[in-house]
């Protein structure tokens, strides 16, 4: 009765009554992504029970988790695979606004947030759960010598340019291709090595490439469907960098293979002379960019041309890349489809040929997911491997700088440039040496075992399941590698714990700014996300960190059985962009949940992971296969990804939107 009285005294009561049936049938579910809140339908029956008091506010019993040592990880385990509820309607436009208003109201919003957490199993699987593990707040991994095969050791004190050269020495010899050779029947993107050879031979100059890059970006912005690749780029600055690089080549003194190569940077990473917006219209006003992030400085020291700040989902809070402030980044393979988020622009510029590589930030699949949807390589190293200095502190313990590249070789070169010793204030336990995979070796690595959890692997569209299964079979057959069937328990619990963690860290990081912020400056989907993020409390955060420790132990036991975990990268291919979402964003739980299904362990547990394009669906949209490795196993992951790429690359297709920057005309 008290709730009913307070409800009717609310100044919004007329609006709430008008939409009570809608509220009784629709609530929103969290998308396990760094980043989004999406919709879940609950029954009118349960809503009425809640408002009539028959559903007690404190009756959400929690799971009692058994000790890790009692869990059967074998293929015949009785551990239950819990699928996400997929009965939610997609919402955009006016409905998103209405729901944001309800969530932001003091009384009805509190009730709705309780329903959200209860019906999405936050209470059962995390908040009220009983776990015997101690909390683990940062996924730092002690260094263990993995005795990796076919690697070259590089001193951790080597300069970025020296590391790039050593990485180039690890690449296979390839037939040189002239920049005028456009008659090849198979499609491939220009690589960093192609740029370097073309510049050194004088076939083309960095200045000419920069001019063609600027023209291409202008063209992409004027298209019937603007591609919205960039939030910010400065033609004058790009030409200045390119002119300096051209002069170095004319003197015969390029800094490295990266000299003159265009590299784009996600607008979550500091990069002068641009503001760091995080996809917002306001964040750069309260957090000015005062210089380059460490990773950007290292790229500059190798001579790379930094060509601007790529578009992203606002605050990284979504899977689609739809940004109401800077436009929706579109998929080069089909401009009516999403590019994925939140590193949408970085994936799209690589896919479209504007850059051979770009930097992103991966907090919940934000590099690997758009890479897969756009048909490129997405690589996320072990937590702590790449300096995080100069990256927006939206999520301290799950976010990592990652690399998007047209080929695995280019991912290795950029990885070589930006890895190495970290600033002293960053927590990590780096290995004593950097190890680069010898991709030019005639002796492929042997005895690789892939852990495959069948129910999880197959929880995707039929086209993805068949394509990824065939690719894995081909890989194992060609290299005599093996697949080990396993069970990975409590995947849904880990997803919710990760979501709770990234949401708590985001709101804590932005708390002082949000107190003064006019919420009208936020996109509507971001408003919903932040309202739900702010509903988590300290007890729930600590429970989530207990789950992190628990899953660390479970995955350690899985890695005792196999070298790598394999799964599709996403559960669906890129889906359609609708006009009603362009100005508000959208809440799409069905697609969002499918996109992030295979991403979480890489971020929550700090594990390295890589996605490789392995095929296309019936619409010609790319499909990716993902490999998740042991901590510090980047060389093994790269060997495997390179082997997979070698088997698929002859079948790669040219995107509908593609720019040939090395063409002299």
């Amino acid at each position: 009765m008290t709730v009913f009285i307070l409800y009717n005294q609310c100044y919004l009561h007329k609006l709430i009554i008008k939409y009570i049936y809608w509220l009784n049938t629709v609530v929103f579910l969290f998308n396990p992504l760094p980043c989004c809140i999406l919709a879940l339908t609950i029954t009118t029956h349960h809503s009425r029970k809640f408002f009539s008091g028959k559903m007690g506010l404190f009756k959400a019993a929690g799971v009692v988790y058994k000790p890790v040592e009692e869990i059967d990880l074998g293929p015949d385990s009785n551990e239950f695979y819990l699928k996400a509820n997929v009965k939610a309607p997609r919402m955009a436009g006016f409905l998103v606004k209405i729901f944001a208003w309800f969530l932001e109201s003091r009384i009805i919003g509190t009730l709705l947030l309780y329903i959200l957490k209860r019906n999405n199993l936050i209470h059962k699987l995390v908040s009220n759960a009983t776990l015997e593990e101690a909390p683990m707040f940062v996924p730092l991994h002690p260094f263990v010598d993995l005795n990796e095969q076919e690697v070259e050791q590089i001193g951790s004190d080597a300069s970025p340019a020296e590391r790039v050269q050593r990485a180039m020495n690890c690449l296979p010899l390839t037939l040189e291709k002239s920049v005028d050779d456009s008659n090849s029947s198979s499609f491939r993107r220009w690589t960093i090595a192609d740029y370097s050879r073309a510049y050194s031979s004088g076939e083309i100059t960095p200045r000419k490439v920069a001019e063609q890059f600027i023209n291409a970006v202008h063209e992409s912005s004027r298209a019937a469907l603007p591609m919205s690749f960039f939030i910010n780029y400065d033609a004058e600055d790009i030409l200045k960098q390119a002119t300096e690089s051209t002069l170095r080549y004319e003197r015969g003194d390029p800094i490295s293979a990266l000299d003159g190569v265009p590299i784009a940077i996600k607008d979550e990473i500091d990069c002068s002379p641009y503001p760091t917006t995080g996809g917002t219209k306001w964040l750069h006003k309260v957090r000015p960019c005062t210089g380059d992030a460490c990773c950007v400085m290292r790229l500059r020291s190798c001579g790379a041309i930094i060509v601007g700040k790529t578009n992203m989902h606002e605050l990284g809070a979504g899977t689609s890349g739809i940004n109401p402030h800077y436009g929706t980044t579109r998929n080069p393979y089909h401009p009516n489809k999403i590019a994925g988020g939140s590193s949408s622009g970085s994936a799209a510029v690589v896919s479209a040929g504007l850059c051979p590589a770009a930097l992103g930030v991966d907090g919940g699949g934000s590099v690997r997911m758009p890479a897969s949807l756009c048909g490129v390589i997405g690589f996320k190293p072990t937590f702590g491997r790449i300096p995080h200095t100069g990256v927006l502190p939206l999520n301290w313990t799950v976010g990592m700088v990652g690399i998007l590249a047209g080929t695995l070789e280019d991912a290795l070169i950029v990885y070589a440039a930006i890895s190495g010793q970290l600033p002293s204030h960053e927590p990590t336990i780096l290995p004593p040496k950097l190890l680069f995979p010898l991709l030019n070796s005639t002796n492929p690595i042997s005895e690789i075992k892939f852990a495959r959890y069948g129910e999880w692997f197959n929880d995707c569209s039929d086209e993805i399941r068949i394509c990824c299964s065939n690719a894995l079979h081909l890989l194992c057959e060609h290299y005599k590698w093996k697949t080990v069937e396993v069970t990975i328990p409590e995947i849904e619990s880990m997803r919710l714990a990760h979501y709770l963690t990234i949401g708590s860290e985001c709101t804590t990081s932005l708390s002082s700014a949000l107190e003064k912020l006019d919420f009208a400056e936020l996109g509507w989907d971001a408003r919903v996300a932040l309202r739900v993020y702010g509903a988590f409390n300290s007890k729930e955060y600590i429970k989530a960190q207990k789950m992190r420790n628990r899953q660390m132990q479970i995955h350690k036991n899985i890695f005792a059985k196999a070298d790598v975990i394999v799964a599709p990268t996403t559960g669906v291919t890129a889906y359609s962009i609708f006009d009603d979402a362009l100005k508000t964003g959208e809440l799409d739980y069905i697609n969002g949940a499918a996109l992030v299904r295979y991403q979480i362990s890489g971020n929550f547990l700090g594990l390295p992971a890589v996605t490789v394009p392995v095929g296309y669906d019936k619409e010609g949209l790319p499909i990716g296969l993902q490999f998740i490795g042991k901590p510090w196993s980047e060389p093994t992951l790269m060997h495997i990804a390179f082997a997979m790429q070698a088997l698929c690359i002859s079948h790669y297709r040219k995107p509908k939107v593609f720019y040939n920057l090395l063409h002299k005309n």
Side-chain angles (χ1 to χ4, degrees):
M1 178 61 69
T2 302
V3 171
F4 183 79
I5 292 172
L6 290 173
Y7 167 74
N8 277 278
Q9 287 178 341
C10 176
Y11 74 96
L12 289 175
H13 74 278
K14 291 184 180 179
L15 182 62
I16 294 172
I17 290 172
K18 182 178 179 181
Y19 290 98
I20 191 66
Y21 179 75
W22 181 80
L23 279 174
N24 280 345
T25 54
V26 179
V27 298
F28 287 71
L29 177 63
F30 318 119
N31 179 337
L33 188 215
C35 316
C36 187
I37 309 295
L38 303 165
L40 167 69
T41 298
I42 63 171
T43 66
T44 304
H45 172 68
H46 281 303
S47 296
R48 287 172 179 166
K49 283 174 66 179
F50 180 89
F51 285 107
S52 66
K54 295 178 182 178
M55 182 186 293
L57 292 179
F58 305 104
K59 291 184 180 179
V63 169
V64 178
Y65 290 98
K66 69 175 75 171
V68 169
E69 56 269 20
E70 295 180 11
I71 299 176
D72 180 5
L73 301 179
D76 300 320
S77 172
N78 60 5
E79 294 293 325
F80 179 70
Y81 176 64
L82 180 62
K83 290 189 176 183
N85 188 313
V86 293
K87 297 178 181 179
R90 172 191 172 273
M91 293 195 178
F94 185 62
L95 283 180
V96 175
K97 294 182 180 182
I98 288 291
F99 192 72
W101 289 331
F102 282 136
L103 273 185
E104 291 166 0
S105 67
R106 181 168 299 179
I107 298 173
I108 203 68
T110 301
L111 298 178
L112 287 174
L113 287 166
Y114 177 85
I115 297 175
L116 284 172
K117 292 164 72 173
R118 180 187 177 99
N119 285 278
N120 294 305
L121 303 183
I122 287 280
H123 290 159
K124 180 177 181 179
L125 298 182
V126 183
S127 308
N128 300 330
T130 300
L131 306 90
E132 65 178 25
E133 290 79 15
M136 174 178 286
F137 294 100
V138 181
L140 289 177
H141 297 277
F143 173 66
V144 176
D145 189 352
L146 300 175
N147 296 315
E148 292 181 282
Q149 307 171 53
E150 299 298 325
V151 296
E152 177 169 337
Q153 293 190 4
I154 292 91
S156 57
D157 58 346
S159 71
E162 291 171 332
R163 294 197 297 269
V164 165
Q165 183 56 52
R166 296 290 289 276
M168 293 292 295
N169 295 340
C170 294
L171 302 184
L173 294 175
T174 57
L175 293 176
E176 294 193 14
K177 179 180 175 183
S178 167
V179 298
D180 289 327
D181 182 9
S182 57
N183 298 320
S184 174
S185 59
S186 62
F187 166 73
R188 73 175 181 89
R189 294 177 176 84
W190 294 116
T191 66
I192 291 170
D194 291 326
Y195 279 89
S196 182
R197 283 193 293 265
Y199 293 157
S200 296
S201 67
E203 290 185 80
I204 200 168
T205 66
R207 172 82 187 198
K208 179 63 176 177
V209 165
E211 291 170 352
Q212 295 187 162
F213 169 87
I214 293 166
N215 291 336
V217 175
H218 285 165
E219 180 184 330
S220 74
S221 301
R222 294 193 299 266
L225 295 174
M227 297 300 290
S228 300
F229 291 130
F230 288 90
I231 285 178
N232 225 325
Y233 73 98
D234 184 326
E236 184 178 345
D237 180 69
I238 293 168
L239 291 173
K240 178 176 180 293
Q241 295 177 71
T243 300
E244 293 171 351
S245 177
T246 298
L247 291 174
R248 290 193 292 269
Y249 276 101
E250 288 176 352
R251 295 194 301 265
D253 191 28
I255 300 172
S256 76
L258 278 172
D259 205 335
V261 176
I263 303 288
I265 309 297
K266 183 182 183 182
D267 206 2
E268 195 174 335
I269 303 171
D270 286 345
C271 175
S272 295
Y274 307 104
T276 303
T277 71
T280 74
K281 284 290 190 180
W282 56 272
L283 189 53
H284 58 287
K285 300 173 185 176
V286 298
R287 182 195 173 275
C289 173
T290 57
D292 288 336
C294 183
C295 53
V296 175
M297 278 192 284
R298 290 177 176 181
L299 288 171
R300 285 196 198 275
S301 72
C302 296
I305 299 176
I306 306 302
V307 294
K309 306 296 289 295
T310 55
N311 203 352
M312 60 177 285
H313 207 108
E314 186 174 8
L315 291 175
T319 58
S320 66
I322 295 173
N323 188 308
H325 310 300
Y326 300 104
T328 297
T329 302
R330 297 178 180 272
N331 195 314
Y333 278 90
H334 196 316
N336 281 316
K337 306 289 184 177
I338 64 164
S342 61
S343 303
S344 47
S346 290
V349 295
V350 173
S351 179
L354 289 172
C355 301
L359 295 188
V361 180
D362 195 313
S366 289
V367 163
R368 293 161 286 148
M369 186 194 319
S372 176
L373 298 186
C374 292
V376 299
I377 297 288
F379 179 61
K380 188 205 83 68
T382 305
F383 180 84
R385 174 71 87 174
I386 306 298
H388 212 64
T389 303
V391 180
L392 283 179
L394 296 178
N395 36 78
W396 303 289
T397 72
V398 296
M400 275 291 298
V401 173
I403 301 160
L404 300 105
T407 64
L408 192 281
E409 299 96 308
D410 287 352
L412 170 59
I413 293 168
V414 175
Y415 169 72
I418 66 177
S419 56
Q421 286 293 334
L422 275 65
S424 58
H425 66 275
E426 292 198 19
T428 190
I429 309 172
L430 276 179
K433 296 278 188 180
L434 277 171
L435 300 178
F436 293 165
L438 289 169
L439 302 180
N440 57 8
S441 173
T442 57
N443 301 313
I445 58 177
S446 59
E447 299 181 358
I448 291 296
K449 292 181 180 179
F450 297 104
R452 178 185 179 276
Y453 181 20
E455 287 191 81
W456 185 50
F457 190 103
N458 295 330
D459 190 10
C460 56
S461 71
D462 288 342
E463 288 182 284
I464 291 176
R465 174 180 56 79
I466 293 169
C467 180
C468 288
S469 295
N470 290 342
L472 179 60
H473 175 75
L474 179 64
L475 185 64
C476 290
E477 184 178 53
H478 190 88
Y479 292 98
K480 310 304 179 187
W481 293 339
K482 298 179 180 178
T483 299
V484 178
E485 295 295 329
V486 300
T487 296
I488 306 176
E490 303 162 19
I491 287 177
E492 181 68 1
S493 299
M494 178 171 60
R495 177 186 76 82
L496 293 174
H498 166 269
Y499 181 78
L500 198 155
T501 300
I502 198 170
S504 299
E505 292 180 356
C506 180
T507 51
T508 301
S509 170
L510 298 173
S511 57
S512 59
L514 292 176
E515 290 174 0
K516 306 171 185 176
L517 180 66
D518 178 0
F519 268 43
E521 293 192 62
L522 284 165
W524 290 95
D525 60 336
R527 286 173 67 163
V528 172
L530 289 174
R531 184 68 180 98
V532 180
Y533 288 169
F536 300 128
N537 59 46
S538 58
K539 182 191 83 169
E540 291 170 327
Y541 183 80
I542 292 173
K543 286 286 182 72
Q545 308 323 300
K546 285 173 168 276
M547 181 59 68
R548 170 145 46 192
N549 189 352
R550 179 179 177 83
Q551 281 291 330
M552 283 278 207
Q553 297 176 48
I554 289 172
H555 277 70
K556 181 179 179 180
N557 292 339
I558 290 171
F559 284 127
K561 299 172 177 283
D563 303 287
V564 172
I565 298 170
V566 62
T569 310
T570 63
V572 294
T573 51
Y575 59 85
S576 296
I577 299 168
F578 294 99
D579 290 344
D580 62 350
L582 298 180
K583 294 183 179 180
T584 62
E586 67 180 1
L587 306 177
D588 186 342
Y589 172 65
I590 295 175
N591 283 314
L595 287 176
V596 303
R597 182 161 296 137
Y598 305 102
Q599 310 296 327
I600 301 305
S601 62
N603 299 100
F604 196 46
L605 309 182
L607 302 174
V610 61
T611 178
V612 183
V614 294
Y616 303 86
D617 70 5
K618 62 185 177 184
E619 292 189 78
L621 295 165
I623 295 171
L625 183 64
Q626 180 179 210
F627 304 99
I628 304 167
K630 301 175 182 178
W632 313 116
S633 67
E634 285 87 352
T636 294
L637 276 184
M638 287 188 173
H639 270 299
I640 294 169
F642 181 71
M644 187 77 265
Q645 174 185 272
L647 295 175
C648 298
I649 197 167
S650 63
H651 303 291
Y652 286 176
R653 303 177 188 177
K654 185 178 180 179
K656 292 180 180 178
V657 177
F658 185 77
Y659 302 96
N660 183 351
L661 296 190
L662 285 186
H663 195 276
K664 288 191 293 185
N665 297 323

